[in-house]
PDB file of all heavy atoms in Angstrom:
ATOM      1  N   PHE A 143      -6.654  -4.161  -4.734  1.00 98.00           N
ATOM      2  CA  PHE A 143      -7.891  -4.947  -4.702  1.00 98.00           C
ATOM      3  C   PHE A 143      -7.900  -5.894  -3.504  1.00 98.00           C
ATOM      4  O   PHE A 143      -8.889  -5.969  -2.768  1.00 98.00           O
ATOM      5  CB  PHE A 143      -8.038  -5.748  -6.003  1.00 98.00           C
ATOM      6  CG  PHE A 143      -9.153  -6.756  -5.979  1.00 98.00           C
ATOM      7  CD1 PHE A 143     -10.470  -6.359  -6.125  1.00 98.00           C
ATOM      8  CD2 PHE A 143      -8.873  -8.111  -5.813  1.00 98.00           C
ATOM      9  CE1 PHE A 143     -11.505  -7.301  -6.106  1.00 98.00           C
ATOM     10  CE2 PHE A 143      -9.894  -9.051  -5.788  1.00 98.00           C
ATOM     11  CZ  PHE A 143     -11.213  -8.641  -5.940  1.00 98.00           C
ATOM     12  N   GLY A 144      -6.811  -6.621  -3.302  1.00 97.00           N
ATOM     13  CA  GLY A 144      -6.739  -7.559  -2.186  1.00 97.00           C
ATOM     14  C   GLY A 144      -6.883  -6.874  -0.843  1.00 97.00           C
ATOM     15  O   GLY A 144      -7.587  -7.365   0.053  1.00 97.00           O
ATOM     16  N   ALA A 145      -6.224  -5.722  -0.702  1.00 98.00           N
ATOM     17  CA  ALA A 145      -6.312  -4.979   0.566  1.00 98.00           C
ATOM     18  C   ALA A 145      -7.747  -4.525   0.829  1.00 98.00           C
ATOM     19  O   ALA A 145      -8.246  -4.628   1.956  1.00 98.00           O
ATOM     20  CB  ALA A 145      -5.372  -3.778   0.521  1.00 98.00           C
ATOM     21  N   ILE A 146      -8.411  -4.031  -0.209  1.00 97.00           N
ATOM     22  CA  ILE A 146      -9.791  -3.563  -0.048  1.00 97.00           C
ATOM     23  C   ILE A 146     -10.733  -4.722   0.273  1.00 97.00           C
ATOM     24  O   ILE A 146     -11.650  -4.591   1.094  1.00 97.00           O
ATOM     25  CB  ILE A 146     -10.242  -2.800  -1.307  1.00 97.00           C
ATOM     26  CG1 ILE A 146      -9.513  -1.455  -1.376  1.00 97.00           C
ATOM     27  CG2 ILE A 146     -11.757  -2.593  -1.325  1.00 97.00           C
ATOM     28  CD1 ILE A 146      -9.779  -0.657  -2.629  1.00 97.00           C
ATOM     29  N   MET A 147     -10.506  -5.864  -0.341  1.00 97.00           N
ATOM     30  CA  MET A 147     -11.343  -7.024  -0.036  1.00 97.00           C
ATOM     31  C   MET A 147     -11.105  -7.507   1.400  1.00 97.00           C
ATOM     32  O   MET A 147     -12.049  -7.935   2.076  1.00 97.00           O
ATOM     33  CB  MET A 147     -11.064  -8.145  -1.044  1.00 97.00           C
ATOM     34  CG  MET A 147     -11.512  -7.811  -2.461  1.00 97.00           C
ATOM     35  SD  MET A 147     -13.271  -7.373  -2.591  1.00 97.00           S
ATOM     36  CE  MET A 147     -14.026  -8.976  -2.304  1.00 97.00           C
ATOM     37  N   ASP A 148      -9.860  -7.429   1.860  1.00 96.00           N
ATOM     38  CA  ASP A 148      -9.591  -7.737   3.269  1.00 96.00           C
ATOM     39  C   ASP A 148     -10.402  -6.816   4.176  1.00 96.00           C
ATOM     40  O   ASP A 148     -11.033  -7.262   5.148  1.00 96.00           O
ATOM     41  CB  ASP A 148      -8.102  -7.546   3.580  1.00 96.00           C
ATOM     42  CG  ASP A 148      -7.275  -8.793   3.304  1.00 96.00           C
ATOM     43  OD1 ASP A 148      -7.857  -9.873   3.143  1.00 96.00           O
ATOM     44  OD2 ASP A 148      -6.038  -8.668   3.254  1.00 96.00           O
ATOM     45  N   ILE A 149     -10.371  -5.529   3.881  1.00 96.00           N
ATOM     46  CA  ILE A 149     -11.109  -4.544   4.678  1.00 96.00           C
ATOM     47  C   ILE A 149     -12.598  -4.860   4.667  1.00 96.00           C
ATOM     48  O   ILE A 149     -13.273  -4.830   5.712  1.00 96.00           O
ATOM     49  CB  ILE A 149     -10.844  -3.117   4.150  1.00 96.00           C
ATOM     50  CG1 ILE A 149      -9.383  -2.723   4.409  1.00 96.00           C
ATOM     51  CG2 ILE A 149     -11.796  -2.106   4.802  1.00 96.00           C
ATOM     52  CD1 ILE A 149      -8.939  -1.463   3.697  1.00 96.00           C
ATOM     53  N   ARG A 150     -13.117  -5.184   3.513  1.00 95.00           N
ATOM     54  CA  ARG A 150     -14.542  -5.506   3.382  1.00 95.00           C
ATOM     55  C   ARG A 150     -14.923  -6.725   4.221  1.00 95.00           C
ATOM     56  O   ARG A 150     -16.043  -6.819   4.725  1.00 95.00           O
ATOM     57  CB  ARG A 150     -14.894  -5.742   1.913  1.00 95.00           C
ATOM     58  CG  ARG A 150     -16.375  -5.961   1.652  1.00 95.00           C
ATOM     59  CD  ARG A 150     -16.681  -6.027   0.165  1.00 95.00           C
ATOM     60  NE  ARG A 150     -18.115  -6.102  -0.052  1.00 95.00           N
ATOM     61  CZ  ARG A 150     -18.803  -7.246  -0.108  1.00 95.00           C
ATOM     62  NH1 ARG A 150     -18.172  -8.405   0.022  1.00 95.00           N
ATOM     63  NH2 ARG A 150     -20.111  -7.235  -0.300  1.00 95.00           N
ATOM     64  N   HIS A 151     -13.975  -7.649   4.378  1.00 94.00           N
ATOM     65  CA  HIS A 151     -14.229  -8.858   5.148  1.00 94.00           C
ATOM     66  C   HIS A 151     -13.734  -8.746   6.598  1.00 94.00           C
ATOM     67  O   HIS A 151     -13.481  -9.748   7.262  1.00 94.00           O
ATOM     68  CB  HIS A 151     -13.587 -10.063   4.457  1.00 94.00           C
ATOM     69  CG  HIS A 151     -14.319 -10.499   3.230  1.00 94.00           C
ATOM     70  ND1 HIS A 151     -14.157  -9.863   2.000  1.00 94.00           N
ATOM     71  CD2 HIS A 151     -15.238 -11.483   3.029  1.00 94.00           C
ATOM     72  CE1 HIS A 151     -14.931 -10.451   1.111  1.00 94.00           C
ATOM     73  NE2 HIS A 151     -15.603 -11.426   1.700  1.00 94.00           N
ATOM     74  N   LYS A 152     -13.584  -7.483   7.056  1.00 93.00           N
ATOM     75  CA  LYS A 152     -13.254  -7.192   8.462  1.00 93.00           C
ATOM     76  C   LYS A 152     -11.880  -7.712   8.893  1.00 93.00           C
ATOM     77  O   LYS A 152     -11.648  -7.978  10.068  1.00 93.00           O
ATOM     78  CB  LYS A 152     -14.319  -7.771   9.407  1.00 93.00           C
ATOM     79  CG  LYS A 152     -15.756  -7.507   9.013  1.00 93.00           C
ATOM     80  CD  LYS A 152     -16.082  -6.036   8.960  1.00 93.00           C
ATOM     81  CE  LYS A 152     -17.563  -5.818   8.630  1.00 93.00           C
ATOM     82  NZ  LYS A 152     -17.885  -4.396   8.412  1.00 93.00           N
ATOM     83  N   ASP A 153     -10.972  -7.860   7.941  1.00 94.00           N
ATOM     84  CA  ASP A 153      -9.599  -8.268   8.268  1.00 94.00           C
ATOM     85  C   ASP A 153      -8.765  -6.996   8.422  1.00 94.00           C
ATOM     86  O   ASP A 153      -8.533  -6.269   7.455  1.00 94.00           O
ATOM     87  CB  ASP A 153      -9.034  -9.148   7.148  1.00 94.00           C
ATOM     88  CG  ASP A 153      -7.688  -9.756   7.505  1.00 94.00           C
ATOM     89  OD1 ASP A 153      -6.992  -9.197   8.389  1.00 94.00           O
ATOM     90  OD2 ASP A 153      -7.316 -10.770   6.895  1.00 94.00           O
ATOM     91  N   LYS A 154      -8.315  -6.742   9.642  1.00 92.00           N
ATOM     92  CA  LYS A 154      -7.628  -5.478   9.935  1.00 92.00           C
ATOM     93  C   LYS A 154      -6.307  -5.320   9.184  1.00 92.00           C
ATOM     94  O   LYS A 154      -5.839  -4.202   8.980  1.00 92.00           O
ATOM     95  CB  LYS A 154      -7.389  -5.359  11.438  1.00 92.00           C
ATOM     96  CG  LYS A 154      -8.685  -5.197  12.233  1.00 92.00           C
ATOM     97  CD  LYS A 154      -8.416  -5.096  13.720  1.00 92.00           C
ATOM     98  CE  LYS A 154      -9.718  -4.960  14.490  1.00 92.00           C
ATOM     99  NZ  LYS A 154      -9.496  -4.900  15.954  1.00 92.00           N
ATOM    100  N   THR A 155      -5.698  -6.430   8.775  1.00 94.00           N
ATOM    101  CA  THR A 155      -4.449  -6.313   8.015  1.00 94.00           C
ATOM    102  C   THR A 155      -4.677  -5.608   6.686  1.00 94.00           C
ATOM    103  O   THR A 155      -3.744  -5.056   6.099  1.00 94.00           O
ATOM    104  CB  THR A 155      -3.819  -7.696   7.756  1.00 94.00           C
ATOM    105  OG1 THR A 155      -4.749  -8.513   7.037  1.00 94.00           O
ATOM    106  CG2 THR A 155      -3.432  -8.371   9.052  1.00 94.00           C
ATOM    107  N   GLY A 156      -5.923  -5.624   6.216  1.00 96.00           N
ATOM    108  CA  GLY A 156      -6.242  -4.929   4.971  1.00 96.00           C
ATOM    109  C   GLY A 156      -5.933  -3.445   5.047  1.00 96.00           C
ATOM    110  O   GLY A 156      -5.442  -2.849   4.077  1.00 96.00           O
ATOM    111  N   TYR A 157      -6.202  -2.850   6.214  1.00 97.00           N
ATOM    112  CA  TYR A 157      -5.904  -1.423   6.381  1.00 97.00           C
ATOM    113  C   TYR A 157      -4.402  -1.165   6.288  1.00 97.00           C
ATOM    114  O   TYR A 157      -3.966  -0.195   5.670  1.00 97.00           O
ATOM    115  CB  TYR A 157      -6.438  -0.928   7.730  1.00 97.00           C
ATOM    116  CG  TYR A 157      -7.936  -0.916   7.840  1.00 97.00           C
ATOM    117  CD1 TYR A 157      -8.617  -1.933   8.505  1.00 97.00           C
ATOM    118  CD2 TYR A 157      -8.689   0.121   7.274  1.00 97.00           C
ATOM    119  CE1 TYR A 157     -10.005  -1.924   8.605  1.00 97.00           C
ATOM    120  CE2 TYR A 157     -10.070   0.136   7.374  1.00 97.00           C
ATOM    121  CZ  TYR A 157     -10.722  -0.887   8.037  1.00 97.00           C
ATOM    122  OH  TYR A 157     -12.089  -0.871   8.126  1.00 97.00           O
ATOM    123  N   LEU A 158      -3.613  -2.051   6.911  1.00 97.00           N
ATOM    124  CA  LEU A 158      -2.163  -1.899   6.866  1.00 97.00           C
ATOM    125  C   LEU A 158      -1.643  -2.035   5.439  1.00 97.00           C
ATOM    126  O   LEU A 158      -0.778  -1.268   5.007  1.00 97.00           O
ATOM    127  CB  LEU A 158      -1.496  -2.946   7.772  1.00 97.00           C
ATOM    128  CG  LEU A 158      -1.771  -2.817   9.268  1.00 97.00           C
ATOM    129  CD1 LEU A 158      -1.142  -3.992  10.015  1.00 97.00           C
ATOM    130  CD2 LEU A 158      -1.221  -1.499   9.796  1.00 97.00           C
ATOM    131  N   LEU A 159      -2.164  -3.019   4.721  1.00 97.00           N
ATOM    132  CA  LEU A 159      -1.743  -3.232   3.338  1.00 97.00           C
ATOM    133  C   LEU A 159      -2.136  -2.050   2.460  1.00 97.00           C
ATOM    134  O   LEU A 159      -1.347  -1.587   1.613  1.00 97.00           O
ATOM    135  CB  LEU A 159      -2.366  -4.519   2.781  1.00 97.00           C
ATOM    136  CG  LEU A 159      -1.887  -5.828   3.415  1.00 97.00           C
ATOM    137  CD1 LEU A 159      -2.706  -7.003   2.903  1.00 97.00           C
ATOM    138  CD2 LEU A 159      -0.403  -6.051   3.145  1.00 97.00           C
ATOM    139  N   PHE A 160      -3.349  -1.543   2.655  1.00 97.00           N
ATOM    140  CA  PHE A 160      -3.837  -0.436   1.840  1.00 97.00           C
ATOM    141  C   PHE A 160      -3.012   0.825   2.078  1.00 97.00           C
ATOM    142  O   PHE A 160      -2.576   1.489   1.137  1.00 97.00           O
ATOM    143  CB  PHE A 160      -5.318  -0.178   2.155  1.00 97.00           C
ATOM    144  CG  PHE A 160      -5.956   0.834   1.249  1.00 97.00           C
ATOM    145  CD1 PHE A 160      -6.381   0.482  -0.016  1.00 97.00           C
ATOM    146  CD2 PHE A 160      -6.137   2.153   1.668  1.00 97.00           C
ATOM    147  CE1 PHE A 160      -6.977   1.417  -0.864  1.00 97.00           C
ATOM    148  CE2 PHE A 160      -6.719   3.093   0.834  1.00 97.00           C
ATOM    149  CZ  PHE A 160      -7.152   2.722  -0.443  1.00 97.00           C
ATOM    150  N   ILE A 161      -2.797   1.137   3.346  1.00 97.00           N
ATOM    151  CA  ILE A 161      -1.987   2.313   3.678  1.00 97.00           C
ATOM    152  C   ILE A 161      -0.548   2.122   3.197  1.00 97.00           C
ATOM    153  O   ILE A 161       0.074   3.028   2.639  1.00 97.00           O
ATOM    154  CB  ILE A 161      -2.027   2.593   5.196  1.00 97.00           C
ATOM    155  CG1 ILE A 161      -3.442   3.009   5.619  1.00 97.00           C
ATOM    156  CG2 ILE A 161      -1.016   3.670   5.582  1.00 97.00           C
ATOM    157  CD1 ILE A 161      -3.669   3.026   7.113  1.00 97.00           C
ATOM    158  N   GLY A 162      -0.034   0.911   3.396  1.00 97.00           N
ATOM    159  CA  GLY A 162       1.343   0.623   3.030  1.00 97.00           C
ATOM    160  C   GLY A 162       1.632   0.803   1.550  1.00 97.00           C
ATOM    161  O   GLY A 162       2.662   1.377   1.178  1.00 97.00           O
ATOM    162  N   VAL A 163       0.716   0.336   0.694  1.00 97.00           N
ATOM    163  CA  VAL A 163       0.968   0.433  -0.747  1.00 97.00           C
ATOM    164  C   VAL A 163       0.958   1.887  -1.212  1.00 97.00           C
ATOM    165  O   VAL A 163       1.766   2.297  -2.048  1.00 97.00           O
ATOM    166  CB  VAL A 163      -0.032  -0.435  -1.556  1.00 97.00           C
ATOM    167  CG1 VAL A 163      -1.437   0.161  -1.561  1.00 97.00           C
ATOM    168  CG2 VAL A 163       0.472  -0.622  -2.993  1.00 97.00           C
ATOM    169  N   TRP A 164       0.078   2.712  -0.608  1.00 97.00           N
ATOM    170  CA  TRP A 164       0.038   4.122  -1.001  1.00 97.00           C
ATOM    171  C   TRP A 164       1.229   4.894  -0.446  1.00 97.00           C
ATOM    172  O   TRP A 164       1.724   5.825  -1.100  1.00 97.00           O
ATOM    173  CB  TRP A 164      -1.292   4.763  -0.578  1.00 97.00           C
ATOM    174  CG  TRP A 164      -2.438   4.199  -1.363  1.00 97.00           C
ATOM    175  CD1 TRP A 164      -3.416   3.360  -0.920  1.00 97.00           C
ATOM    176  CD2 TRP A 164      -2.706   4.403  -2.760  1.00 97.00           C
ATOM    177  NE1 TRP A 164      -4.271   3.029  -1.931  1.00 97.00           N
ATOM    178  CE2 TRP A 164      -3.872   3.658  -3.075  1.00 97.00           C
ATOM    179  CE3 TRP A 164      -2.089   5.145  -3.763  1.00 97.00           C
ATOM    180  CZ2 TRP A 164      -4.422   3.631  -4.360  1.00 97.00           C
ATOM    181  CZ3 TRP A 164      -2.635   5.120  -5.050  1.00 97.00           C
ATOM    182  CH2 TRP A 164      -3.771   4.376  -5.343  1.00 97.00           C
ATOM    183  N   LEU A 165       1.718   4.509   0.733  1.00 96.00           N
ATOM    184  CA  LEU A 165       2.942   5.125   1.256  1.00 96.00           C
ATOM    185  C   LEU A 165       4.137   4.777   0.369  1.00 96.00           C
ATOM    186  O   LEU A 165       5.001   5.619   0.113  1.00 96.00           O
ATOM    187  CB  LEU A 165       3.203   4.670   2.688  1.00 96.00           C
ATOM    188  CG  LEU A 165       2.297   5.263   3.772  1.00 96.00           C
ATOM    189  CD1 LEU A 165       2.605   4.639   5.127  1.00 96.00           C
ATOM    190  CD2 LEU A 165       2.456   6.783   3.831  1.00 96.00           C
ATOM    191  N   LYS A 166       4.194   3.532  -0.088  1.00 95.00           N
ATOM    192  CA  LYS A 166       5.264   3.107  -1.004  1.00 95.00           C
ATOM    193  C   LYS A 166       5.226   3.935  -2.287  1.00 95.00           C
ATOM    194  O   LYS A 166       6.258   4.424  -2.767  1.00 95.00           O
ATOM    195  CB  LYS A 166       5.116   1.630  -1.339  1.00 95.00           C
ATOM    196  CG  LYS A 166       6.090   1.150  -2.426  1.00 95.00           C
ATOM    197  CD  LYS A 166       5.736  -0.245  -2.900  1.00 95.00           C
ATOM    198  CE  LYS A 166       6.667  -0.715  -4.015  1.00 95.00           C
ATOM    199  NZ  LYS A 166       6.451  -0.002  -5.282  1.00 95.00           N
ATOM    200  N   ILE A 167       4.033   4.091  -2.842  1.00 95.00           N
ATOM    201  CA  ILE A 167       3.885   4.854  -4.084  1.00 95.00           C
ATOM    202  C   ILE A 167       4.265   6.317  -3.861  1.00 95.00           C
ATOM    203  O   ILE A 167       4.960   6.922  -4.688  1.00 95.00           O
ATOM    204  CB  ILE A 167       2.437   4.722  -4.617  1.00 95.00           C
ATOM    205  CG1 ILE A 167       2.207   3.290  -5.123  1.00 95.00           C
ATOM    206  CG2 ILE A 167       2.160   5.733  -5.721  1.00 95.00           C
ATOM    207  CD1 ILE A 167       0.763   2.966  -5.413  1.00 95.00           C
ATOM    208  N   ALA A 168       3.824   6.878  -2.741  1.00 95.00           N
ATOM    209  CA  ALA A 168       4.168   8.275  -2.430  1.00 95.00           C
ATOM    210  C   ALA A 168       5.679   8.436  -2.273  1.00 95.00           C
ATOM    211  O   ALA A 168       6.265   9.422  -2.749  1.00 95.00           O
ATOM    212  CB  ALA A 168       3.451   8.715  -1.154  1.00 95.00           C
ATOM    213  N   HIS A 169       6.317   7.473  -1.619  1.00 92.00           N
ATOM    214  CA  HIS A 169       7.775   7.507  -1.444  1.00 92.00           C
ATOM    215  C   HIS A 169       8.476   7.486  -2.799  1.00 92.00           C
ATOM    216  O   HIS A 169       9.426   8.239  -3.043  1.00 92.00           O
ATOM    217  CB  HIS A 169       8.207   6.320  -0.583  1.00 92.00           C
ATOM    218  CG  HIS A 169       9.687   6.301  -0.292  1.00 92.00           C
ATOM    219  ND1 HIS A 169      10.605   5.734  -1.162  1.00 92.00           N
ATOM    220  CD2 HIS A 169      10.396   6.781   0.763  1.00 92.00           C
ATOM    221  CE1 HIS A 169      11.821   5.863  -0.655  1.00 92.00           C
ATOM    222  NE2 HIS A 169      11.727   6.494   0.505  1.00 92.00           N
ATOM    223  N   GLU A 170       7.999   6.623  -3.687  1.00 91.00           N
ATOM    224  CA  GLU A 170       8.582   6.553  -5.029  1.00 91.00           C
ATOM    225  C   GLU A 170       8.400   7.856  -5.791  1.00 91.00           C
ATOM    226  O   GLU A 170       9.318   8.315  -6.488  1.00 91.00           O
ATOM    227  CB  GLU A 170       7.939   5.410  -5.819  1.00 91.00           C
ATOM    228  CG  GLU A 170       8.330   4.028  -5.372  1.00 91.00           C
ATOM    229  CD  GLU A 170       7.631   2.935  -6.154  1.00 91.00           C
ATOM    230  OE1 GLU A 170       6.564   3.208  -6.750  1.00 91.00           O
ATOM    231  OE2 GLU A 170       8.130   1.803  -6.162  1.00 91.00           O
ATOM    232  N   GLN A 171       7.216   8.438  -5.672  1.00 91.00           N
ATOM    233  CA  GLN A 171       6.945   9.675  -6.399  1.00 91.00           C
ATOM    234  C   GLN A 171       7.818  10.820  -5.896  1.00 91.00           C
ATOM    235  O   GLN A 171       8.234  11.683  -6.672  1.00 91.00           O
ATOM    236  CB  GLN A 171       5.460  10.047  -6.269  1.00 91.00           C
ATOM    237  CG  GLN A 171       4.512   9.143  -7.030  1.00 91.00           C
ATOM    238  CD  GLN A 171       4.644   9.292  -8.529  1.00 91.00           C
ATOM    239  OE1 GLN A 171       4.734  10.390  -9.070  1.00 91.00           O
ATOM    240  NE2 GLN A 171       4.668   8.159  -9.234  1.00 91.00           N
ATOM    241  N   TYR A 172       8.108  10.805  -4.607  1.00 88.00           N
ATOM    242  CA  TYR A 172       8.884  11.908  -4.015  1.00 88.00           C
ATOM    243  C   TYR A 172      10.390  11.684  -4.136  1.00 88.00           C
ATOM    244  O   TYR A 172      11.135  12.597  -4.481  1.00 88.00           O
ATOM    245  CB  TYR A 172       8.494  12.083  -2.548  1.00 88.00           C
ATOM    246  CG  TYR A 172       9.060  13.333  -1.920  1.00 88.00           C
ATOM    247  CD1 TYR A 172       8.486  14.583  -2.167  1.00 88.00           C
ATOM    248  CD2 TYR A 172      10.174  13.268  -1.086  1.00 88.00           C
ATOM    249  CE1 TYR A 172       9.007  15.733  -1.602  1.00 88.00           C
ATOM    250  CE2 TYR A 172      10.712  14.415  -0.519  1.00 88.00           C
ATOM    251  CZ  TYR A 172      10.124  15.643  -0.782  1.00 88.00           C
ATOM    252  OH  TYR A 172      10.656  16.788  -0.225  1.00 88.00           O
ATOM    253  N   TYR A 173      10.820  10.445  -3.839  1.00 86.00           N
ATOM    254  CA  TYR A 173      12.257  10.165  -3.782  1.00 86.00           C
ATOM    255  C   TYR A 173      12.790   9.430  -5.011  1.00 86.00           C
ATOM    256  O   TYR A 173      14.006   9.327  -5.199  1.00 86.00           O
ATOM    257  CB  TYR A 173      12.590   9.334  -2.536  1.00 86.00           C
ATOM    258  CG  TYR A 173      12.389  10.080  -1.249  1.00 86.00           C
ATOM    259  CD1 TYR A 173      11.295   9.820  -0.429  1.00 86.00           C
ATOM    260  CD2 TYR A 173      13.291  11.057  -0.829  1.00 86.00           C
ATOM    261  CE1 TYR A 173      11.103  10.492   0.770  1.00 86.00           C
ATOM    262  CE2 TYR A 173      13.112  11.745   0.367  1.00 86.00           C
ATOM    263  CZ  TYR A 173      12.022  11.454   1.163  1.00 86.00           C
ATOM    264  OH  TYR A 173      11.837  12.132   2.343  1.00 86.00           O
ATOM    265  N   GLY A 174      11.892   8.902  -5.817  1.00 80.00           N
ATOM    266  CA  GLY A 174      12.332   8.121  -6.977  1.00 80.00           C
ATOM    267  C   GLY A 174      12.446   6.642  -6.631  1.00 80.00           C
ATOM    268  O   GLY A 174      12.264   6.227  -5.487  1.00 80.00           O
ATOM    269  N   ALA A 175      12.773   5.862  -7.655  1.00 71.00           N
ATOM    270  CA  ALA A 175      12.825   4.411  -7.492  1.00 71.00           C
ATOM    271  C   ALA A 175      14.164   3.964  -6.918  1.00 71.00           C
ATOM    272  O   ALA A 175      15.148   4.697  -6.949  1.00 71.00           O
ATOM    273  CB  ALA A 175      12.588   3.745  -8.842  1.00 71.00           C
ATOM    274  N   SER A 176      14.178   2.757  -6.423  1.00 73.00           N
ATOM    275  CA  SER A 176      15.407   2.152  -5.894  1.00 73.00           C
ATOM    276  C   SER A 176      16.398   1.888  -7.025  1.00 73.00           C
ATOM    277  O   SER A 176      16.051   1.273  -8.038  1.00 73.00           O
ATOM    278  CB  SER A 176      15.063   0.835  -5.192  1.00 73.00           C
ATOM    279  OG  SER A 176      16.211   0.058  -4.987  1.00 73.00           O
ATOM    280  N   GLU A 177      17.624   2.355  -6.835  1.00 79.00           N
ATOM    281  CA  GLU A 177      18.665   2.096  -7.829  1.00 79.00           C
ATOM    282  C   GLU A 177      19.006   0.612  -7.902  1.00 79.00           C
ATOM    283  O   GLU A 177      19.353   0.104  -8.968  1.00 79.00           O
ATOM    284  CB  GLU A 177      19.920   2.905  -7.492  1.00 79.00           C
ATOM    285  CG  GLU A 177      19.772   4.406  -7.726  1.00 79.00           C
ATOM    286  CD  GLU A 177      21.080   5.157  -7.505  1.00 79.00           C
ATOM    287  OE1 GLU A 177      22.140   4.476  -7.458  1.00 79.00           O
ATOM    288  OE2 GLU A 177      21.031   6.379  -7.378  1.00 79.00           O
ATOM    289  N   GLN A 178      18.903  -0.069  -6.783  1.00 76.00           N
ATOM    290  CA  GLN A 178      19.194  -1.504  -6.766  1.00 76.00           C
ATOM    291  C   GLN A 178      18.224  -2.273  -7.650  1.00 76.00           C
ATOM    292  O   GLN A 178      18.623  -3.165  -8.400  1.00 76.00           O
ATOM    293  CB  GLN A 178      19.126  -2.042  -5.334  1.00 76.00           C
ATOM    294  CG  GLN A 178      20.262  -1.541  -4.448  1.00 76.00           C
ATOM    295  CD  GLN A 178      20.143  -2.048  -3.024  1.00 76.00           C
ATOM    296  OE1 GLN A 178      19.045  -2.207  -2.505  1.00 76.00           O
ATOM    297  NE2 GLN A 178      21.285  -2.289  -2.387  1.00 76.00           N
ATOM    298  N   VAL A 179      16.946  -1.918  -7.575  1.00 74.00           N
ATOM    299  CA  VAL A 179      15.948  -2.586  -8.420  1.00 74.00           C
ATOM    300  C   VAL A 179      16.205  -2.254  -9.885  1.00 74.00           C
ATOM    301  O   VAL A 179      16.129  -3.134 -10.749  1.00 74.00           O
ATOM    302  CB  VAL A 179      14.515  -2.177  -8.010  1.00 74.00           C
ATOM    303  CG1 VAL A 179      13.495  -2.773  -8.976  1.00 74.00           C
ATOM    304  CG2 VAL A 179      14.214  -2.629  -6.590  1.00 74.00           C
ATOM    305  N   ALA A 180      16.512  -1.010 -10.169  1.00 66.00           N
ATOM    306  CA  ALA A 180      16.808  -0.603 -11.546  1.00 66.00           C
ATOM    307  C   ALA A 180      17.976  -1.402 -12.110  1.00 66.00           C
ATOM    308  O   ALA A 180      17.956  -1.825 -13.272  1.00 66.00           O
ATOM    309  CB  ALA A 180      17.099   0.892 -11.601  1.00 66.00           C
TER     310      ALA A 180
END
């Protein structure tokens, strides 16, 4: 939500945040979660 609102308000960091969160999720789905966090 925050990333999308940044994008809506012409803040370019919103694009980085939006892409970043989906890359993180994709990484987790493919490689699994961090053992350290677990």
Side-chain angles (χ1 to χ4, degrees):
F143 171 77
I146 289 175
M147 293 304 289
D148 272 345
I149 292 169
R150 185 173 186 271
H151 286 81
K152 314 299 183 187
D153 188 338
K154 293 179 181 178
T155 59
Y157 293 100
L158 295 175
L159 293 173
F160 187 80
I161 294 168
V163 72
W164 292 108
L165 286 176
K166 173 190 178 290
I167 290 169
H169 183 274
E170 288 178 338
Q171 289 291 316
Y172 190 78
Y173 293 105
S176 164
E177 289 185 15
Q178 291 178 326
V179 175

